Amino acid sequence: MKKILVRVLLVLLVAALGFGGFVYYMVHNSTSQIYSYNKRTNKSSDDKTASKKSVAYLLLGTDTGELGRSYKGRTDTMIVVVVNPKSKTTTMVSVPRDTKVDFDDVTIKINAAYSYGSSDTAMSAVEKLLNIKLDGYLLVNMKGLEQLVDAVGGVTVTSPLSFDYEGKSFVKGQSYDLSGSDALKFSRMRYDDPQGDYGRQMRQQQILTAVIGKLKSNPTTVLSQKFLDAVGKNVRTDVSLGSVKNLATEYRDAGNTIKSDQLHGTGQNIDGQDYEVMSETEITRVHSVIQNALNANN
């Protein structure tokens, strides 16, 4: 119930900003430990980015310690991110953590797919649910948000509602300059939001959008050791550095317009467990949103 993503900034950020060879060299040397080869997705991502085609990645946010820990946790943040270089748009679609899915003939919440298997398992669960194909994942732990926001010098957001959380007060319609710890508070609160987890998802997307905007205004931040350390400690991905290089040189305008959406369900208690149950109509709608984002101007 507390995390958000970061490495959208070696892919989406470096991608949306377009830095070039020197930055690629710096990123390669500082973040090679975050990469894991994935036969299924690497070819897909590499082929598409080399051909300047749209790509879809899954951002996963987990909630325990630094990556490399023995306890995996669950991915309570799950966002499908589509980067389209031709329409010059990035589309983010949140998948609720409590979404009901079938996993090996057992009914589970979709956020448990990662703990039952791996990041690839989580990808497969989202692909099956939405009938889409993903080109890779970015796994970030909760600490990544705080460290990343601090590494870019803080972010500015406008609160969509009034609330207090862990000693910090927010007023609807007011803008705030947030440090990393306050950004966590802004994106973490759920129970006092009339929209519950759906409201929290949108605030998470606000923080992510603000970080992207901060990096666009000061792209050399990506070269700072503070930023690279935050990524190296808190991020894992199967997106190859070859794809990052392609994204950096050819997808620089994809951050010009950022669109947000979310999968909406209805709360149901099934066998003592609370789930968000998605209608076929809503699944079809979100499938179309993602496919349209991928196919725009192609």
Side-chain angles (χ1 to χ4, degrees), residues 41-104:
T41 58
N42 278 168
K43 181 170 174 34
S44 168
S45 180
D46 290 351
D47 287 351
K48 287 182 179 179
T49 58
S51 301
K52 306 177 190 178
K53 294 181 178 179
S54 302
V55 286
Y57 299 118
L58 180 64
L59 275 58
L60 301 167
T62 188
D63 58 354
T64 52
E66 289 189 355
L67 295 174
R69 62 193 176 276
S70 58
Y71 173 61
K72 294 172 65 175
R74 296 188 175 199
T75 51
D76 286 350
T77 295
M78 306 180 80
I79 302 179
V80 176
V81 179
V82 176
V83 188
N84 187 321
K86 293 185 179 178
S87 65
K88 300 179 182 179
T89 58
T90 295
T91 302
M92 298 189 291
V93 180
S94 293
V95 178
R97 50 180 260 170
D98 293 335
T99 300
K100 176 180 172 290
V101 295
D102 293 326
F103 178 82
D104 285 349

